[in-house]
């Protein structure tokens, strides 16, 4: 069973956005560490982004639970396309969130501005690939 829950930012949203967010979170960058490096302190590592086969496996499991049956190839392809459309938007959403956090909290404990830059740049690259 798959349950996506985020009480801090909970609310009804698009499943494609939530799944895209899950995939983008594989890159890390939101954890704090004294050592830093890829995946920590505002430095996402996009080489960790799930492969197409990993994404497909997740979508199959999600749809199997959601539909109560084995999904068809068409079901899976439609969800994969829905998720792809939200991956870029998700980068911009969290990039702008990080700019706001930098303004509100500063960057002494966590480099929000670097995280914002990384997310927005990745969104621009993903958006170019989609064209």
């Amino acid at each position: 069973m798959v349950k996506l829950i985020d009480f801090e930012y909970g609310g009804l949203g698009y499943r494609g956005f939530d799944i895209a967010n899950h995939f983008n979170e594989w890159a890390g960058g939101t954890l704090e560490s004294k050592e830093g490096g890829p995946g920590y302190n505002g430095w996402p590592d996009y080489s960790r982004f799930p492969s197409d086969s990993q994404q497909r496996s997740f979508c199959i499991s999600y749809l199997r639970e959601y539909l109560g049956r084995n999904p068809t190839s068409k079901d899976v392809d439609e969800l994969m396309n829905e998720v792809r459309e939200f991956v870029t938007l998700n980068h911009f959403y969290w990039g702008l969130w990080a700019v706001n956090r930098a303004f509100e909290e500063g960057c002494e404990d966590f480099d929000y501005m670097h995280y914002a830059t990384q997310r927005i740049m990745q969104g621009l690259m993903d958006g170019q690939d989609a064209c």
Side-chain angles (χ1 to χ4, degrees):
M1 177 179 288
V2 175
K3 291 185 179 184
L4 303 177
I5 300 172
D6 187 340
F7 292 110
E8 184 179 8
Y9 293 98
L12 185 60
Y14 296 98
R15 71 177 179 178
F17 183 87
D18 288 339
I19 295 171
N21 186 70
H22 172 68
F23 292 160
N24 280 332
E25 288 291 330
W26 284 36
T30 57
L31 301 174
E32 294 182 26
S33 167
K34 291 180 182 173
E35 293 81 34
Y40 297 94
N41 297 344
W43 293 78
D45 178 2
Y46 291 106
S47 69
R48 295 172 160 176
F49 191 83
S51 67
D52 282 344
S53 65
Q54 290 170 316
Q55 292 176 52
R56 182 167 289 279
S57 177
F58 181 91
C59 288
I60 289 169
S61 296
Y62 173 87
L63 287 169
R64 187 177 295 126
E65 190 65 32
Y66 179 74
L67 298 171
R69 62 170 170 78
N70 286 329
T72 65
S73 291
K74 182 182 177 199
D75 294 330
V76 176
D77 290 342
E78 286 175 356
L79 180 57
M80 294 276 294
N81 288 333
E82 180 182 334
V83 171
R84 280 188 202 106
E85 290 175 2
F86 279 106
V87 166
T88 300
L89 179 62
N90 184 264
H91 285 301
F92 291 120
Y93 178 89
W94 289 111
L96 293 173
W97 168 87
V99 170
N100 185 53
R101 293 290 86 208
F103 178 75
E104 293 289 326
E105 297 179 21
C107 295
E108 292 76 33
D109 295 327
F110 185 87
D111 195 345
Y112 286 109
M113 287 307 293
H114 182 79
Y115 183 71
T117 302
Q118 294 300 304
R119 290 301 297 258
I120 291 168
M121 292 302 295
Q122 188 66 34
L124 290 170
M125 290 190 311
D126 288 350
Q128 284 182 332
D129 291 345
C131 293

